């Protein structure tokens, strides 16, 4: 009986760390791949742009390695620093609009919101093609609503992957509700609804 309980706890912790490693490595590598592509295309005709892309690759890889080390140490790395995350994604070449411009995220939701935005924008970088992304939050008296959307062409109707499954689990664990799917007119949308008070 005790062995079963310990085994279940270890399995949960392994799954949590695996999810963190997937999120951190996936986001960093997607941003690096995009900037490497930009550098290759612009190397001869626009050396300054190629240089900017290489600098973005360096900065993204350093940050991703730090977060990866933290995840492997069993520490939950996201600190809820949305502005830094958004700056990194924009540096990787994805324009991101934010509504409102400086969203107020409740303290107890900062880690969860950070992870939703990071995973969603990573998926846009990987799958959507040339597009803009939108991160929108709505605070009403009963719930905190987060939407991350794009108008790209990445949705293929494929089954939910590990990243979306991890998002669903994390949002549910925080007491929230999760939906994701294609948008009317093209693109993809992730929608998370969280209770305003900690569960």
């Amino acid at each position: 009986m005790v062995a079963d309980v310990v085994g279940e706890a270890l399995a949960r912790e392994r799954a949590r760390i695996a999810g963190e490693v997937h999120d951190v490595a996936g986001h960093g590598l997607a941003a690096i791949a995009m900037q490497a592509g930009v550098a290759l295309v612009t190397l001869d005709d626009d050396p300054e742009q190629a240089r900017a892309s290489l600098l973005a690759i360096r900065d993204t890889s350093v940050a991703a390695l730090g977060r990866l080390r933290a995840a492997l140490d069993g520490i939950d790395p996201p600190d809820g620093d949305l502005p830094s995350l958004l700056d990194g994604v924009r540096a990787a070449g994805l324009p991101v609009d934010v509504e409102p411009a400086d969203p107020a995220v409740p303290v107890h939701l900062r880690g969860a919101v950070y992870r939703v935005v990071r995973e969603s924008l990573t998926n846009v970088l990987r799958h959507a093609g040339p597009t803009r992304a939108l991160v929108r939050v709505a605070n009403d008296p009963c719930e905190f609503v987060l939407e991350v959307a794009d108008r790209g062409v990445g949705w293929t109707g494929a089954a939910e992957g590990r990243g979306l499954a991890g998002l669903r689990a994390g949002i549910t664990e925080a007491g929230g509700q999760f939906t994701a799917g294609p948008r009317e007119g093209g693109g993809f949308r992730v929608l998370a609804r969280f209770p305003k008070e900690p569960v």
Side-chain angles (χ1 to χ4, degrees):
M1 182 71 77
V2 172
D4 291 342
V5 171
V6 170
E8 288 174 13
L10 285 172
R12 281 194 304 272
E13 184 64 7
R14 282 191 195 106
R16 184 189 71 76
I17 292 172
E20 281 301 322
V21 169
H22 168 270
D23 291 349
V24 171
H27 172 74
L29 291 174
I32 289 167
M34 176 176 266
Q35 283 297 341
V38 171
L40 285 171
V41 168
T42 61
L43 186 59
D44 293 328
D45 297 331
D46 190 351
E48 284 306 309
Q49 176 58 57
R51 178 180 173 77
S53 294
L54 291 171
L55 290 171
I57 288 170
R58 183 196 63 192
D59 294 345
T60 300
S61 61
V62 167
L65 284 171
R67 291 188 184 120
L68 184 59
R69 285 188 194 101
L72 291 173
D73 288 339
I75 298 168
D76 191 18
D79 56 4
D81 188 1
L82 278 179
S84 292
L85 173 65
L86 295 168
D87 287 346
V89 171
R90 289 174 179 134
L94 176 66
V96 182
D97 300 315
V98 181
E99 298 176 5
D102 187 17
V105 180
V107 173
H108 72 283
L109 293 177
R110 285 182 184 162
V113 167
Y114 181 97
R115 285 187 289 276
V116 171
V117 172
R118 181 183 64 199
E119 179 62 27
S120 299
L121 293 179
T122 296
N123 286 340
V124 175
L125 282 167
R126 284 182 181 156
H127 306 300
T131 189
R132 292 185 75 86
L134 169 68
V135 175
R136 179 171 28 215
V137 301
N139 268 312
D140 73 26
C142 299
E143 64 182 358
F144 178 87
V145 181
L146 170 66
E147 175 187 11
V148 183
D150 68 78
R151 287 290 185 191
V153 295
W155 174 252
T156 63
E160 186 174 277
R162 183 174 192 159
L164 288 179
L167 278 182
R168 182 181 304 283
I171 291 166
T172 302
E173 188 177 307
Q177 298 175 339
F178 170 82
T179 57
R183 298 175 73 186
E184 188 175 323
F188 195 80
R189 180 175 81 152
V190 170
L191 189 65
R193 298 178 179 275
F194 297 97
K196 288 297 284 286
E197 300 299 324
V199 293

